Structure formats: C-alpha cells, structure tokens
Amino acid sequence: QRGIWFFSSYPEVELETVTVNVTIQDFVADVVSELLFRNKQHVSRETVFIFPVNSGTVVHTFYATMGDTRIEAMLWEKEEAQQLCKATSGMENLRYLQDQWDLWGPVFTCFLGTLPPNGEVAISLCYVQELPMQPDGAAQFCWPHELFPWRKYISCLFSEQEMSENLHFGICLKSARGVSHIAVNSRDIPLEYTSPDQTSAEAFLKLPPWMQDDLNLLVYYRGSHVLSAVVERRDPKAPPGSLLGDPVVMVTLRPNIPEVVANPGQLGEFLFLMDRSLFQHAQLSHLSSAHLSICPQNTLLFLLKSLPLGCFFNIYSFGATFKAFYPQSVEYTQESMDNAVGRISSICPDLGGCDLLGLLRSIYSTRLLHGHPRQLFIFIQRKISSEEEAVMAEVYRHRDHHRCFCFPTDRSDNFNLSQAMALETKGECVCIHSRMDMTSKAVKCLQRALQPLASGISLHWDLPPGLEVSMIRKAPEMIFQGHQSSIYARIHGQAQDPEAGEGAVTLRYHVGSQSFDYTLRFSLSPSADDRLPVHRMAMMHLLWKLAWEGTSRAEKDIWHSVVKSSLSLGVPSPFTSSVAVRMKQRDAWQCDSLPPDSSMLSSPSCNLVPCQLLWLRGFRPVWFKSAKFWMVQKCQFYLETLGCKADWDWTISPLSTRLCDFSGLRLVVALQKANGSWALTTALASALGLSKADVDRQRPSEDVQPTAWATVLVLVWLHQYKWKVSWPELLKAKACRWLQDQAEVQLDECLEAANSLLGCFVEPTIFRI
C-alpha cells in the first residue's frame, strides 16, 4: 500500500531531513512526521504541499513553519469555511491546480507561499491509517522512497552514519496477542521489547544510503490472524455518551477460507457493464482473427458461457443513456443464457456522452440478492467528463456490498478512475491494450470472481453485565478470499462488576456448506493513548455513515454533536472543510489550545491561506503503488507510437493468433449449453472441422449418450488450444463437472475414440477440475 505523501514544488526544493515516529497497534498506524525542505536555488520559489487522502486514512494535523511564520490547517463547519474561503485571495490557484496538475484523485493541498533562496520550510503531518493484512497475517506499513532525504550522489559523498543523521525512523509496536517480529524490505530487524509479556516493542531503523525502494514494513503477531481487536479508552475530557466519551473497539476480520472445489451451484450476481463506444465496429459482418481478440461481442459471449448454473446475471450497455437486458438480474438458465446471447448483437454503437454515474446509481438502488455476492465487470473506453468524484462517492458508499473488475482501454482517460474503483471494492483493474486480449483478461478476472468466499458473516459479543456494544461500522455480508474488513463499535454502559476486565467477540461465517466460528477474548482495560487513533478512524466512518443516511441541520442534536466531535479530533467530514491560517509563531502558541473559531481571524497577525481538499483530474494515480506499472505502460505506449513490430503481446503471440481458427472456437463456444455440455449436431461437427457422419461413426458404442460423447470430443479439441489461449478454461471446467455428474459415462472409451478421430493424444487428466 502506497504512503499518502506527495510534496510538490520545484525540484530545486530538496528534502534534507525526515523524522518519522509510527505507532502500530495490530492493523492501525498512527504516524507523526516532520520533513525539512530547503530551497537550493538563488531565486525564490513558490511552493505548494500536496498529499493524497484515501478512504483508509485520516489526516488530522498539518502545519508548516517558515521562519517566524506558521501556516496551520484547521477544520471549520462547512458553511462557515466556505464564507472564509470567499475572503481568501489566491483560491483561484486551487481551481487551476485541479485541472492542470499531473496527479489524479482526491488530495489535500495547501499553498505555502514564497520560499527565499536557502530558505527552509518544516512540514508537520500527522495521520492515522488502516493497514492491509498480508496473506501470512502480517500488517503492512509503507513509506515511499521519495520521502527519504535527498540522495543524489549520496553513496559516494557521505557515509552511512552521516546519512542516518538525516533520517530518524522510530517504530512502536503494540498488540495484546504479542509482537513476534518485524521485517523491513524482507530483512528481519532487531526488536527491543518494552513489556515482559512482549505485547509492546520498539525499533529504530537505520537505512543504507543506496536504498532505492519504498520502505516496506511488515509486522508479525502471535496467534491466529482471523480475528484481531484493539480497544481504546475513552477521552477523560469528553462528556459521557459522546463517541469520545466511550471506549471504542476496532475488530479486523480476515476469515480463513479453505481452498474448496467450486461446485456448479457457486452463487453470485454478475453484472456486465459495456461501453457502447466499444461496439463501433460491431456492424462488420465478418471479423478477422486480428479483430476477434478485442471484440466486445466475443468477450460477452465467453463470459456468459462461463457462468455457473444457479447464479444471477444482467448486461448493461451505456453511452449517453444506459439500457439493461433485463429490468433486474435473472437466474442463469439455458433459456436466459440463450436469450442474452441472442441480444448481444442488438447493442448499437454510441459515441455520445457517458452516463456511468446514472447507471451505477440505478444498479445500487436495486436490492442485493441474499447469498449472491454482487460483482461488476466494467468495460469502458470514453471519458466520463467531470463526474469522477461523484462516481467514486457512489462506489465508496457501497464498497462493502460489491466488487468491481474494471477494463479500461489503452490510453483511456478513465484508467485512473477504473483503478480507484477496483481498489476501493477490492477488485481488479486490467488495462486492455490494442494488442492485448480483452476476452482472456476478462475470463481470468471471472475465475477470480468465482473463488470461494465467506458469507453469512456475523459478530456476536460477550461483555460483562451492564456493558453494551453499538456498531459504528458493521461487518460486511461477505468477504472475498484474501481480503480483510475492519469494523468499529462503541462500548457503553457501566459494568456491574468493577473487576470484570475482559470481553469476547465471536466471528461466524459460511464457506459453501461449511460453517466456521472463531472467538477472541480482549481486555477492556487497555493502556491509554492520548492521540486516540482508533477513535479518529471510528469517527471517520461514523461521519460518512451519517452523511449517507441524510443527517442534516434539521436533526440538530445529531448534527451538532457530529460536527463538534469532528472538529475536536481534526477528522474531515462532509460537514466540515479545511481552512489554513498564516500566523506569527507567538500567536500560534496562544491558539494551540483553542478550538477553531473564526473570531481568531480578526487578529491582524493572522491571514487566510488557500487550502482545500481537491479532486485532481490529471493522469497519474496517487492512491496506489504504481511506479513500476507506469514504467511498463509508458514503454508499451512508446513502442506503439514508434510503430514497433516486436512480439509484445502479453497474452498470445502473433504466430499463435494466426494459427488459431478463432471463428471455429467462437462457434464451438456458442454451441455450449448452460450446464456445460454440448449436443451432438451437424453444426458442432462442422465447427470441429469434422463431418457429422464421422463423429457418429466414431462414437464408442450405442450405450454412450450422444451428448456425453460430444462433450468429451469438444474437451479434447479445446485442449489443443491450451498453449495458445486460456479463454476456454472455465468452459472446460463446467463440462468436466457435467460429465462427473452423469451416471455410467465411459470416459476412457470416449477419450480413446476422440484422440483417434482428432489425431492427437490427450491424457485422462483432462477430466480433472
């Protein structure tokens, strides 16, 4: 996971010193950092600080010191902040930055003003962040290498000791389960335990001057990683009954999902969203093999044929307007599949607008089907104009209830948006290049979408009498394989037994027909943390929850309490906005202990500074670790620009493309039944390059059902494509399941006859799923 920092100014403003102190409790990090930059030029430079803000991060403190002046970002109630911004000169620069900057996505930005020659600016930034869990249970914290001190020619000019003087990186680790060990960029580093039971530890990093990679810190804990709980004490200064006045617990869930063989009843709701501009060549009656691999009609065909019986599906096409094949998702049967396949050719090209936002809102307004996880496959080519922020708000709002697999075409203006949608919903984004294979990539994502998942998730609490739990962020209905989810809850009331110091939470879920439950006991008397990182994260989720539920000024008590808590914790919300204030240091010290109040701005030593949360519309994503990916993308783009004819196709080589009879493959796929079998017909024999008479004559015996014989024959025929394309893998798996369900099918005799007829030798392992 990428760090949330990005400092933007002229390259001559160099990062000289970095001090970072990070406290990690299970899967939440509290970061306090200071960066010192210096203008190395002989002329003054205008500087601006920019950093991304993702949905798992709360930036609550920012200030910059330049000489005897401090610029501090503060939160105000939104309407009051808007009035203050109207009086702030230079706000138009933010609008210019929004459209001209090379970055993309939501960011916090603050103009720092003019930095004189050899002038310094010290940046202080504090944030809390949910940490992703690795497959082995480790918590991952990332610090980008761009925020190491300036290192050009450093290895030949300075020693490691001199270098380490400019980089101070302290780590404090806490976990009730016990801290096992930590690794930095795959190397274990020594820990100093600060408690006898090894539930807390410290480490100080000394990084070599030649280190060019991000600092990737992995923290390992003892015990199971299925359940983890962090309880944070109430703020003693807060009134009882408020969020700050109650303890808060953060529970991280990562269900153990065994690798089970997917059965034909694998459930799900699969929605395919097709940009109609992709169909501009659809009216060509015969597509060449070169066009076939990027043809959206063929992609839809393979996806539809690969779905399992018992799932639900729908197809949407969108342009200036959107249309659905069915008013709501329908069950996948032979009839519904045939109907959908027949309607693919009716999708007309549309090069007008792009109402993806309206389509998503329409989909999200339909009820979720119990037991059928919703997964969206979005194929997009045209630009979504200026609605990216609204699209992401909708996706974020429903992120716990669906997953997005996005397929933007190469050089699409929507690549970054597609990446963000996939990231928020824990799906996948695959760029479809002009010489890459749309069908193959889509089918691979469908294979992932069909993996086992945990469903029917519920949490059950066991607290001492007198204590209750109120959920702030509930557990999702399902968690996909390899994913985690963090929930937050308030613990309120008064325990009847003052000596009762423990509670328990039990996680229950299903994987297919199997049931699982895990219980974790946790202390109700944790050590105090004045910085309240868990409360800040819980507050962020509560604020968005109230915003989605439509809480407004009309509900004065709720609204006032939420805004007050947001301001006291420095947690941005839909009800607040940032305003930066420039003041002299002596005034800054006087204001530190005071809550934000516009009356303080009346002081002649204070003035307002352009500072705001913005949605940048540039070209480089800022939410994820993408440096190496962009290197590949740019290399590919330049090769195409130069007309390079090298074999650059990542999926199938040009030679194998020419050797494959894709029209025959398409016809064979089109003839497969919804249950995975093939009927023995003249059309099928022709598609296989055989005559119907030869196929009938080679059938092992009259006892072999024609459908079973045809299905084995097609499996052997498809096996010849294995080294060329991977598209039919799901189709073959469906066929094998169907064969296994048939009684008295002579697979050995059928396989021998199919090998003889097709002139090949395929082993019986072909029938393994």
Side-chain angles (χ1 to χ4, degrees):
Q1 179 171 324
R2 190 72 170 172
I4 64 157
W5 297 63
F6 188 88
F7 182 83
S8 171
S9 69
Y10 292 89
E12 297 84 1
V13 179
E14 296 172 2
L15 177 57
E16 288 193 335
T17 304
V18 175
T19 300
V20 182
N21 289 290
V22 54
T23 299
I24 298 177
Q25 300 182 69
D26 283 15
F27 297 96
V28 62
D30 181 17
V31 182
V32 179
S33 55
E34 294 187 3
L35 296 87
L36 181 66
F37 293 86
R38 183 182 300 277
N39 180 11
K40 295 290 188 177
Q41 290 296 293
H42 299 297
V43 294
S44 298
R45 294 295 191 188
E46 290 292 322
T47 56
V48 56
F49 188 85
I50 296 175
F51 53 91
V53 283
N54 63 25
S55 60
T57 301
V58 174
V59 178
H60 56 84
T61 303
F62 168 81
Y63 60 87
T65 304
M66 303 170 67
D68 64 346
T69 300
R70 186 166 91 161
I71 297 173
E72 183 173 357
M74 300 180 181
L75 284 182
W76 265 269
E77 186 274 320
K78 196 162 192 174
E79 291 185 6
E80 187 176 15
Q82 290 172 346
Q83 293 299 319
L84 292 173
C85 288
K86 290 180 180 178
T88 304
S89 61
M91 289 297 290
E92 64 277 2
N93 290 333
L94 293 181
R95 305 293 177 263
Y96 175 82
L97 179 69
Q98 190 172 24
D99 292 319
Q100 299 298 320
W101 200 252
D102 67 338
L103 298 181
W104 183 95
V107 299
F108 171 87
T109 181
C110 183
F111 279 87
L112 302 180
T114 302
L115 191 61
N118 204 39
E120 294 180 346
V121 55
I123 302 291
S124 294
L125 184 67
C126 303
Y127 65 91
V128 294
Q129 185 177 54
E130 291 180 358
L131 299 181
M133 186 190 305
Q134 297 303 293
D136 58 4
Q140 181 188 29
F141 175 79
C142 194
W143 185 265
H145 73 273
E146 293 89 348
L147 290 179
F148 294 147
W150 182 70
R151 293 162 300 136
K152 188 177 182 181
Y153 309 121
I154 199 91
S155 58
C156 60
L157 295 177
F158 301 102
S159 67
E160 182 173 338
Q161 179 178 357
E162 292 171 317
M163 176 64 182
S164 64
E165 292 176 357
N166 294 332
L167 176 63
H168 308 272
F169 208 107
I171 304 168
C172 177
L173 305 175
K174 300 178 182 179
S175 177
R177 294 182 292 163
V179 180
S180 173
H181 63 285
I182 64 174
V184 175
N185 292 25
S186 302
R187 294 174 55 188
D188 285 351
I189 62 173
L191 278 178
E192 180 181 337
Y193 288 103
T194 55
S195 62
D197 57 1
Q198 298 187 346
T199 57
S200 62
E202 291 181 346
F204 298 92
L205 303 186
K206 291 185 177 181
L207 302 181
W210 55 84
M211 183 172 173
Q212 299 295 322
D213 296 328
D214 298 339
L215 188 153
N216 189 32
L217 174 66
L218 297 179
V219 185
Y220 294 87
Y221 305 108
R222 295 190 172 92
S224 169
H225 60 263
V226 173
L227 269 180
S228 170
V230 176
V231 180
E232 190 170 83
R233 283 183 177 178
R234 63 181 293 270
D235 183 353
K237 302 185 295 294
S242 65
L243 177 64
L244 292 176
D246 287 331
V248 168
V249 56
M250 169 186 173
V251 180
T252 303
L253 320 174
R254 191 185 179 98
N256 180 25
I257 303 176
E259 291 286 349
V260 297
V261 176
N263 56 63
Q266 173 71 53
L267 304 177
E269 182 188 19
F270 300 92
L271 307 179
F272 305 109
L273 285 60
M274 307 297 297
D275 185 342
R276 286 199 291 268
S277 68
L278 292 167
F279 290 77
Q280 55 188 313
H281 301 298
Q283 298 181 8
L284 293 176
S285 58
H286 298 287
L287 295 175
S288 68
S289 61
H291 287 125
L292 186 64
S293 62
I294 58 172
C295 174
Q297 292 93 332
N298 288 287
T299 299
L300 269 179
L301 173 67
F302 271 80
L303 289 173
L304 282 172
K305 293 288 182 173
S306 299
L307 292 177
L309 285 173
C311 75
F312 284 75
F313 76 99
N314 205 346
I315 297 175
Y316 299 85
S317 64
F318 63 92
T321 60
F322 59 86
K323 297 178 182 178
F325 275 25
Y326 308 102
Q328 58 188 15
S329 296
V330 296
E331 185 176 356
Y332 184 77
T333 63
Q334 184 65 47
E335 181 182 1
S336 62
M337 185 201 71
D338 287 341
N339 180 274
V341 170
R343 297 177 65 177
I344 291 176
S345 60
S346 67
I347 301 178
C348 298
D350 175 1
L351 302 179
C354 185
D355 189 18
L356 179 61
L357 177 60
L359 174 54
L360 289 175
R361 284 174 173 166
S362 176
I363 291 173
Y364 294 150
S365 67
T366 61
R367 67 180 181 88
L368 292 167
L369 301 174
H370 180 68
H372 295 269
R374 175 173 287 174
Q375 307 198 63
L376 275 58
F377 286 68
I378 305 174
F379 299 84
I380 188 165
Q381 179 168 265
R382 78 188 92 196
K383 186 172 177 57
I384 307 181
S385 65
S386 60
E387 296 179 329
E388 295 98 334
E389 187 172 3
V391 168
M392 280 309 304
E394 288 294 320
V395 172
Y396 178 74
R397 179 177 179 179
H398 299 275
R399 64 176 182 159
D400 287 334
H401 305 293
H402 77 301
R403 184 161 60 167
C404 291
F405 293 91
C406 300
F407 306 90
T409 58
D410 66 321
R411 306 176 203 168
S412 169
D413 292 327
N414 299 304
F415 175 76
N416 300 323
L417 177 64
S418 299
Q419 277 267 35
M421 293 169 67
L423 180 72
E424 281 299 335
T425 59
K426 299 177 181 176
E428 189 171 347
C429 177
V430 180
C431 184
I432 303 301
H433 203 271
S434 58
R435 292 192 57 207
M436 289 178 71
D437 173 25
M438 176 186 290
T439 304
S440 176
K441 296 300 181 184
V443 170
K444 284 182 180 178
C445 286
L446 182 58
Q447 286 179 307
R448 180 182 168 192
L450 290 171
Q451 289 176 344
L453 55 87
S455 61
I457 295 172
S458 62
L459 289 177
H460 303 269
W461 301 86
D462 180 14
L463 299 180
L467 295 181
E468 296 180 350
V469 165
S470 296
M471 300 304 297
I472 296 173
R473 187 185 186 203
K474 299 187 297 183
E477 295 181 2
M478 62 203 70
I479 297 180
F480 297 98
Q481 191 173 50
H483 294 165
Q484 73 191 69
S485 181
S486 294
I487 67 99
Y488 296 84
R490 296 169 62 176
I491 302 175
H492 54 87
Q494 186 69 40
Q496 296 177 9
D497 180 5
E499 301 298 321
E502 267 197 343
V505 60
T506 299
L507 168 67
R508 293 175 182 164
Y509 62 93
H510 303 282
V511 179
S513 59
Q514 302 179 59
S515 298
F516 298 86
D517 62 81
Y518 293 87
T519 299
L520 175 70
R521 303 201 66 82
F522 55 86
S523 172
L524 293 172
S525 302
S527 58
D529 190 332
D530 295 336
R531 296 182 55 79
L532 301 170
V534 177
H535 277 79
R536 293 184 199 273
M537 293 302 306
M539 173 59 69
M540 180 194 71
H541 289 291
L542 177 61
L543 290 166
W544 280 102
K545 175 184 175 182
L546 293 175
W548 295 334
E549 293 174 352
T551 301
S552 63
R553 283 178 177 270
E555 302 169 84
K556 289 185 178 180
D557 292 342
I558 298 177
W559 186 89
H560 180 74
S561 174
V562 168
V563 172
K564 185 176 180 180
S565 297
S566 174
L567 296 178
S568 64
L569 283 177
V571 178
S573 75
F575 310 106
T576 59
S577 187
S578 296
V579 175
V581 179
R582 179 186 289 112
M583 61 189 84
K584 298 299 182 182
Q585 284 283 30
R586 61 178 182 274
D587 297 316
W589 295 120
Q590 296 172 1
C591 294
D592 274 347
S593 59
L594 301 176
D597 190 319
S598 58
S599 62
M600 65 178 286
L601 302 180
S602 60
S603 170
S605 61
C606 299
N607 58 8
L608 300 177
V609 176
C611 169
Q612 210 169 41
L613 282 168
L614 288 179
W615 186 277
L616 301 185
R617 296 192 285 264
F619 63 84
R620 184 152 62 94
V622 292
W623 280 4
F624 13 79
K625 186 173 181 178
S626 56
K628 294 181 178 64
F629 177 81
W630 275 95
M631 185 78 71
V632 172
Q633 289 292 312
K634 288 180 179 179
C635 181
Q636 173 79 349
F637 173 77
Y638 292 139
L639 281 174
E640 286 223 333
T641 302
L642 296 172
C644 180
K645 303 301 182 182
D647 291 347
W648 190 261
D649 196 314
W650 297 348
T651 306
I652 51 178
S653 71
L655 176 61
S656 66
T657 302
R658 289 194 296 270
L659 292 177
C660 286
D661 180 7
F662 285 114
S663 59
L665 176 60
R666 187 190 190 284
L667 184 54
V668 168
V669 171
L671 292 172
Q672 188 179 30
K673 301 295 184 181
N675 61 10
S677 68
W678 277 268
L680 186 55
T681 63
T682 302
L684 178 64
S686 177
L688 298 176
L690 305 168
S691 69
K692 178 66 162 52
D694 288 340
V695 174
D696 286 334
R697 189 181 309 113
Q698 199 71 19
R699 185 155 58 112
S701 69
E702 293 294 327
D703 295 333
V704 175
Q705 293 295 322
T707 302
W709 162 235
T711 302
V712 172
L713 186 62
V714 173
L715 279 175
V716 174
W717 186 84
L718 287 174
H719 190 74
Q720 300 178 79
Y721 281 90
K722 187 172 183 180
W723 67 277
K724 303 168 187 174
V725 295
S726 59
W727 311 343
E729 290 304 312
L730 286 175
L731 307 181
K732 291 163 63 178
K734 283 178 69 174
C736 288
R737 291 192 193 96
W738 181 85
L739 286 170
Q740 290 178 356
D741 291 339
Q742 306 310 303
E744 300 179 0
V745 175
Q746 294 89 355
L747 291 180
D748 292 340
E749 292 84 349
C750 288
L751 179 60
E752 183 180 354
N755 278 327
S756 175
L757 183 60
L758 294 172
C760 58
F761 181 74
V762 176
E763 297 183 351
T765 54
I766 190 177
F767 300 118
R768 294 178 185 172
I769 300 177

